[in-house]
Amino acid sequence: MEMPKAYESSGVEDAIYGFWLDGKYFSSRPDSSKKPFTIVIPPPNVTGSLHMGHALNNTLQDALIRYKRLAGFNTCWVPGTDHGGIATQNVVEKLLLAEGKSKNDLGREKFIEKMWKWRGSTGDTILEQLKKLGCSLDFDRTRFTMDEDCSRAVRHAFARLFDKGLIYRGKRLVNWCPRCMTALSDIEVEHEEEIGKLWHIKYPLSSGAEFLIVATTRPETMLGDTAVAVNPADERYKKLVGKTIKLPLAGREIKIVTDEAVDAAFGTGAVKVTPAHDPTDFEIGARHGLEKIVVIGFDGKMTGAAGKYAGLDRYAARKEILKDLEAEGLLMETAAHPHSVGACYRCATTIEPLISEQWFMKVGEMSRRAVEASRAGKVKFYPASWEKPYVLWLENLRDWCISRQIWWGHRIPVYYCKNDSSEEKSACPPFASVEQPVKCPHCGGAKIRQDTDVLDTWFSSALWPFSVFGWPDETPDLKYYYPTAVLVTGHEILYLWVARMVQFGLEFMGAEPFSDVYIHGIVRDKHGKKMSKSLGNVIDPLDIIKKYGADALRFAMISSATAGRDIQLSDDSFVGARNFANKLYNASRYILMNLEKYPLDGISLDGSRLEETDKWILSECAAAARLSRGSYETYELDKVARAVYDFTWNKFCDWYIEFSKERLYGNDEAARATALKVLVRVLADILKIIHPIMPFVTESLWRNLRERLSGADSAEISKKFPQSIMDATYPSATAPSEVGTGRDLSLPNAAVNVDFIVEVVTAVRQLREEMKVSAAQKIDLLVRASDGAAAERFKSSSAYIEKLARVGKIETGVSTQPRACACAVVGSAEIFVPLEGVIDVDKEKARLTAELSKIEGIARALSAKMANEKFLSKAPPSEVEGSRAKLSDFSSKIEKLKVNIKYLG
């Protein structure tokens, strides 16, 4: 194939992805001869489109899958989407609203039909976008949490838990969203700290002689107060305990009680108790047998129990209540007060704690088993720091409110018999059924109705790792692929989803759903700010793919994905990653052009005469493979990216390719063939190591390399170069056995000698740059060596040094420093570059002196700044650290300039 001069991702990626799909390279079937490596995708909502969080999460998963495929595993990555109950219903309701309609206008059945129609037209958008990212998902296995297989699994799970007594219906305080008109579980409530107000209100004792000051952040709920509580150890109020208070504005008499839950340091130490509108108050009320008076309804408006405030929105009522309290002289003080406010995780409406009859699931035993699995190392977290909060959450978990008052979702499979009564309640107890029942199992009656609520979305998601493989049936897929290997996710759903999956996996499968949980950070902008439309700092991954290519996006994200840290990205991140892809492409093109010019009859290194530079690059390549393999296994993919970048760019491209040119362009055919074989060998290994992170460019280059080698020994090429890189084998980490010679390659010595050459050439090139000596002009090198071994090393390496550093001759017997020269120290030797006749020494000395004066002035100013205590105490830490780093850099430059001026004479 003819390779263009520059790599254009837009002309490559779609064609390659089509090649993979047509070849079924992502497909997986149970194979007893191979060990499985399974990942189930965290299913994105059907409302979603690809954003940077999705891009990061799925790139990490894809990199792991591709690595394990190269490592010989039977990989299976299951795609799918979540029905996203509340969020998806909100989307369709908004569409209806634009038509001037509501869901109630359509009725439940017609509305559900519209939901399915919308899901059919747009629900797989994000899965299609993941193809642009290069994700090797087995699309033949695509699942949806409300498809029949998953829905059947939900019904089975519910029925088992119901029959086991773990699911019950009860009237309890729940988190209620007045906007979505549904209950939420505790972990669906997002808490944010805000500066609110704390109102101090006078509560007169019934006797009229005394009063208490009660502090509250929610005066609108005081109309539902049924007690005032104080801490039993609070000496201030002991004489008042048992007496009654006349509730302001309502006129009811309520008790003064004691309870350990009261914080004596909060406000005045006396708190109002509203059992129907606060979780803590609900518990206090239960302990003291207090009445529950509901004054705020499910719509967020005041109820009839609120008296004259009935019908007002809760916040409008607050204003009126405060106004009336002030008018009656009962509002004593208003103070700013930071407190946590809970909001619906889907619509951001402030939640209202309300008493409601809901379905709950007992989770105590499930949580205990999940904690044991973690402590036994059966579920490991990467990074490990996430285990502690995970366990702590499980240990304090309350029963899960699993019912939702919406229409889109898995309808609760509980049925009520109405055969013996026209009333809502029947003498027969409710029952759960996997299939639609035709008669009551208790009385045989045919009048049956199903519960109207649907299940919390996270209930079906908790079954995901095994429902996608056909559970509750014991399918071959389920036996082979479960448990899965690793879950890759962000920390924001550690409790919403990860913990639930572990609980359900242990409950229904008797085994953890995965052994590893890899938790990555979130993507932020270059200033460390979370991306949001309001800030205008959102990066669209599809735009980045279009501009720089999917490989550049993937490499930029992974190279920044350090364990336990959030990721900061900017345009520069993608530019650098694209440049790396181009560097790899150009190096490959150079090798392929030489293969075309000098075809090989095979690629084996058996019998080849390897030079030290060959041994060095093979050793370094093995080290890169070893480090990368270990880092893939421990989910430190950023280390893989950085290691392969450093090896490819700084060692292979910048040095070995340069080392090889003398042989490639020389007349020794055997030496040329050896150099070319090493180039091919190392390039192939680089492509395999980096393929999981940059799949498109590596597949493209692999196919070009295979094409160029088609004239070589066919059996050898077919074995080592399959049609797709996805069928290749991850490189070995041991250099000597790889080259297959059976000889001692003396790799440590080779590494030392080549590192010496690199150090000398780098030093000479730096001297050229500092003294403004043209790279094209040859210079001489004088060496003052401390011993004979050092001098001999210069002599043995002279060919490479002269070639790569543009040196005319190397003289090693120098004992004194020559006049007008540039100097550097390499190991135990000093090297001098005579400059007389090469540059205008006086002019260069004047230039360096002027530069020294300028930098010394800047350094003095910075020193004064760093000595200023006001700057050190008030400036941001990043600015102080930046100034300190600049001062250190300028100090180094000053010393270097002084040395150079001295050597110029």
Side-chain angles (χ1 to χ4, degrees):
M1 300 179 188
E2 183 63 34
M3 293 181 67
K5 290 184 178 180
Y7 177 65
E8 292 293 339
S9 59
S10 59
V12 171
E13 294 178 351
D14 287 345
I16 285 179
Y17 201 84
F19 164 76
W20 286 330
L21 287 178
D22 292 342
K24 295 288 184 181
Y25 283 99
F26 307 155
S27 297
S28 178
R29 295 293 177 267
D31 181 351
S32 59
S33 68
K34 284 187 174 184
K35 189 175 181 180
F37 182 84
T38 315
I39 297 179
V40 292
I41 193 174
N45 280 356
V46 288
T47 58
S49 59
L50 192 67
H51 58 60
M52 289 302 291
H54 292 133
L56 172 65
N57 179 262
N58 287 281
T59 295
L60 292 170
Q61 291 176 79
D62 190 47
L64 293 171
I65 281 287
R66 288 180 181 273
Y67 161 70
K68 284 293 187 177
R69 188 181 290 120
L70 293 174
F73 286 76
N74 181 10
T75 58
C76 180
W77 187 15
V78 181
T81 51
D82 189 276
H83 62 281
I86 295 172
T88 308
Q89 179 161 318
N90 282 348
V91 168
V92 177
E93 283 194 73
K94 287 178 181 177
L95 294 175
L96 281 175
L97 189 62
E99 300 173 10
K101 300 177 183 177
S102 72
K103 71 178 191 297
N104 294 320
D105 294 330
L106 272 66
R108 184 166 191 152
E109 187 176 335
K110 291 293 183 183
F111 179 74
I112 294 300
E113 286 180 10
K114 189 171 184 68
M115 292 288 303
W116 275 106
K117 185 177 180 180
W118 179 89
R119 183 257 180 263
S121 62
T122 64
D124 287 334
T125 297
I126 192 167
L127 294 184
E128 290 302 309
Q129 291 171 333
L130 288 177
K131 294 178 180 179
K132 290 288 185 183
L133 194 61
C135 294
S136 54
L137 290 150
D138 186 351
F139 287 101
D140 292 337
R141 293 181 174 278
T142 302
R143 292 289 181 267
F144 174 51
T145 51
M146 279 182 62
D147 64 25
E148 180 48 37
D149 287 344
C150 291
S151 295
R152 179 168 166 264
V154 168
R155 297 194 298 271
H156 266 275
F158 185 97
R160 289 193 191 184
L161 293 170
F162 182 89
D163 292 343
K164 199 174 177 180
L166 295 178
I167 290 179
Y168 64 94
R169 190 165 177 81
K171 205 167 187 178
R172 294 176 51 180
L173 199 71
V174 298
N175 304 298
W176 183 267
C177 176
R179 157 64 184 81
C180 298
M181 292 295 284
T182 182
L184 302 171
S185 67
D186 291 342
I187 50 178
E188 289 175 306
V189 178
E190 295 184 341
H191 294 274
E192 285 194 14
E193 290 292 323
E194 65 176 43
I195 303 299
K197 291 182 179 179
L198 188 64
W199 289 275
H200 291 71
I201 303 169
K202 183 189 293 186
Y203 277 48
L205 266 67
S206 299
S207 62
E210 298 177 88
F211 60 85
L212 278 179
I213 303 295
V214 173
T216 181
T217 59
R218 303 192 66 207
E220 65 274 16
T221 63
M222 66 180 293
L223 301 171
D225 289 358
T226 52
V228 169
V230 297
N231 190 284
D234 196 332
E235 295 291 339
R236 294 173 294 176
Y237 302 116
K238 280 194 173 182
K239 64 177 182 178
L240 300 178
V241 174
K243 295 185 178 181
T244 59
I245 279 180
K246 194 171 185 181
L247 181 64
L249 305 182
R252 284 187 288 109
E253 288 194 344
I254 58 177
K255 294 179 182 179
I256 300 174
V257 299
T258 62
D259 200 280
E260 293 284 353
V262 177
D263 180 3
F266 174 78
T268 62
V271 298
K272 55 193 286 304
V273 182
T274 320
H277 294 285
D278 182 89
T280 301
D281 293 3
F282 182 86
E283 300 295 335
I284 293 174
R287 285 192 288 270
H288 294 275
L290 301 177
E291 183 183 2
K292 303 177 184 69
I293 301 175
V294 177
V295 293
I296 300 176
F298 294 115
D299 57 359
K301 295 180 179 180
M302 307 303 287
T303 68
K308 73 172 188 176
Y309 307 102
L312 290 177
D313 175 81
R314 51 184 168 165
Y315 297 117
R318 175 184 293 180
K319 292 179 180 179
E320 293 301 314
I321 288 169
L322 290 171
K323 189 188 299 181
D324 291 347
L325 286 170
E326 189 168 20
E328 294 187 20
L330 298 174
L331 186 59
M332 306 300 291
E333 182 185 344
T334 302
H337 178 68
H339 65 132
S340 178
V341 177
C344 173
Y345 79 121
R346 285 303 181 193
C347 70
T349 299
T350 301
I351 62 102
E352 189 63 48
L354 292 175
I355 293 174
S356 174
E357 191 170 34
Q358 301 286 342
W359 287 98
F360 295 89
M361 190 175 84
K362 298 176 183 177
V363 295
E365 181 59 22
M366 288 187 189
S367 295
R368 185 190 62 77
R369 290 199 298 262
V371 168
E372 286 179 355
S374 179
R375 288 179 171 160
K378 295 179 179 179
V379 177
K380 297 184 290 293
F381 289 85
Y382 297 84
S385 57
W386 281 107
E387 181 181 1
K388 186 175 180 179
Y390 165 83
V391 167
L392 186 63
W393 181 80
L394 282 169
E395 289 177 333
N396 291 279
L397 188 59
R398 296 186 295 181
D399 286 0
W400 179 12
C401 177
I402 59 174
S403 51
R404 300 291 179 267
Q405 288 67 57
I406 56 176
W407 290 350
W408 176 244
H410 295 100
R411 193 165 172 179
I412 289 179
V414 167
Y415 297 85
Y416 305 91
C417 173
K418 296 178 63 178
N419 197 58
D420 62 349
S421 172
S422 59
E423 297 178 3
E424 195 69 13
K425 292 186 178 179
S426 165
C428 297
F431 61 94
S433 176
V434 175
E435 306 300 337
Q436 179 76 35
V438 295
K439 61 181 180 179
C440 173
H442 303 294
C443 70
K447 293 182 180 179
I448 297 168
R449 71 173 181 87
Q450 186 176 359
D451 198 284
T452 57
D453 285 353
V454 302
L455 283 164
D456 177 6
T457 298
W458 299 103
F459 188 97
S460 57
S461 298
L463 301 168
W464 187 250
F466 45 95
S467 67
V468 297
F469 295 118
W471 186 86
D473 297 333
E474 291 203 11
T475 65
D477 280 357
L478 186 63
K479 291 179 181 178
Y480 182 75
Y481 292 114
Y482 188 91
T484 65
V486 58
L487 178 77
V488 182
T489 184
H491 61 77
E492 66 275 9
I493 54 174
L494 177 61
Y495 312 125
L496 280 165
W497 189 43
V498 179
R500 301 296 192 199
M501 283 189 287
V502 175
Q503 289 175 321
F504 276 26
L506 292 168
E507 174 70 23
F508 296 112
M509 296 294 297
E512 301 77 11
F514 29 72
S515 56
D516 297 342
V517 181
Y518 171 27
I519 298 178
H520 57 76
I522 63 174
V523 182
R524 298 181 180 273
D525 68 11
K526 62 182 179 181
H527 303 295
K529 293 182 179 178
K530 192 171 181 179
M531 293 183 184
S532 70
K533 291 181 180 179
S534 60
L535 292 176
N537 63 347
V538 172
I539 298 175
D540 187 332
L542 296 177
D543 289 343
I544 299 302
I545 290 172
K546 187 175 181 180
K547 188 174 181 180
Y548 300 110
D551 288 325
L553 172 64
R554 291 168 64 113
F555 187 87
M557 290 190 297
I558 286 184
S559 60
S560 302
T562 303
R565 298 181 185 176
D566 288 344
I567 298 162
Q568 293 181 220
L569 291 176
S570 68
D571 206 56
D572 290 342
S573 308
F574 308 118
V575 171
R578 181 195 59 188
N579 291 345
F580 176 57
N582 285 331
K583 186 76 171 179
L584 182 60
Y585 177 85
N586 290 331
S588 302
R589 186 170 181 269
Y590 165 78
I591 294 168
L592 294 170
M593 288 170 62
N594 278 283
L595 280 174
E596 185 176 23
K597 190 174 181 180
Y598 308 111
L600 294 173
D601 58 4
I603 59 173
S604 172
L605 287 168
D606 288 351
S608 299
R609 189 176 72 252
L610 298 176
E611 292 191 359
E612 281 194 325
T613 56
D614 300 328
K615 299 173 187 178
W616 169 75
I617 200 64
L618 290 169
S619 176
E620 292 291 336
C621 186
R626 185 165 55 251
L627 188 154
S628 298
R629 184 186 289 271
S631 297
Y632 274 125
E633 296 289 351
T634 54
Y635 310 109
E636 297 173 292
L637 275 65
D638 58 310
K639 290 185 178 180
V640 178
R642 290 195 292 271
V644 78
Y645 179 97
D646 177 66
F647 172 71
T648 302
W649 196 305
N650 299 328
K651 294 177 181 175
F652 184 62
C653 295
D654 283 358
W655 291 105
Y656 184 73
I657 286 179
E658 293 301 314
F659 290 146
S660 71
K661 285 181 178 179
E662 185 174 0
R663 284 180 289 168
L664 289 179
Y665 301 147
N667 297 321
D668 187 332
E669 292 185 9
R672 179 193 303 125
T674 296
L676 201 47
K677 288 177 181 179
V678 172
L679 284 167
V680 168
R681 173 59 175 277
V682 175
L683 174 60
D685 281 359
I686 289 172
L687 296 180
K688 287 184 281 188
I689 294 171
I690 198 63
H691 169 73
I693 298 175
M694 304 178 80
F696 289 111
V697 68
T698 51
E699 177 71 67
S700 175
L701 295 173
W702 180 268
R703 291 166 67 187
N704 275 280
L705 183 57
R706 185 176 186 274
E707 178 74 16
R708 284 285 191 270
L709 294 168
S710 59
D713 178 65
S714 58
E716 184 185 18
I717 297 305
S718 297
K719 181 180 179 181
K720 294 186 177 180
F721 287 90
Q723 188 174 20
S724 170
I725 194 172
M726 290 180 65
D727 287 332
T729 301
Y730 200 81
S732 169
T734 310
S737 62
E738 281 195 342
V739 298
T741 63
R743 294 179 284 113
D744 177 13
L745 299 183
S746 301
L747 293 173
N749 290 335
V752 169
N753 292 338
V754 175
D755 286 345
F756 169 75
I757 295 170
V758 169
E759 190 176 358
V760 172
V761 173
T762 301
V764 174
R765 287 175 175 175
Q766 188 173 347
L767 290 177
R768 281 180 176 276
E769 184 179 351
E770 290 173 356
M771 295 301 179
K772 307 300 180 188
V773 178
S774 169
Q777 186 173 0
K778 281 197 173 185
I779 56 175
D780 293 335
L781 209 60
L782 307 181
V783 180
R784 182 161 63 186
S786 62
D787 53 54
E792 184 57 37
R793 179 165 285 175
F794 274 93
K795 289 178 182 178
S796 63
S797 306
S798 60
Y800 284 115
I801 296 171
E802 290 169 2
K803 179 78 173 176
L804 298 175
R806 293 287 293 167
V807 170
K809 66 177 181 179
I810 300 175
E811 184 180 336
T812 57
V814 176
S815 59
T816 58
Q817 174 191 326
R819 182 184 175 278
C821 66
C823 176
V825 177
V826 176
S828 61
E830 291 178 281
I831 57 176
F832 305 103
V833 176
L835 296 174
E836 283 189 335
V838 177
I839 62 171
D840 186 328
V841 174
D842 291 336
K843 184 177 179 180
E844 181 62 17
K845 189 174 181 180
R847 183 186 71 81
L848 293 178
T849 301
E851 186 176 352
L852 174 62
S853 178
K854 177 183 176 182
I855 292 179
E856 283 180 331
I858 297 173
R860 281 194 297 272
L862 264 177
S863 294
K865 186 177 183 181
M866 294 303 296
N868 187 331
E869 289 297 330
K870 189 174 181 181
F871 167 72
L872 295 175
S873 61
K874 292 190 175 182
S878 58
E879 185 178 346
V880 174
E881 193 56 38
S883 297
R884 185 176 287 114
K886 285 181 182 178
L887 182 58
S888 176
D889 184 47
F890 281 130
S891 297
S892 298
K893 286 181 179 179
I894 288 170
E895 291 305 311
K896 185 68 175 174
L897 283 167
K898 286 180 178 179
V899 169
N900 286 342
I901 292 170
K902 174 186 174 184
Y903 281 122
L904 284 175

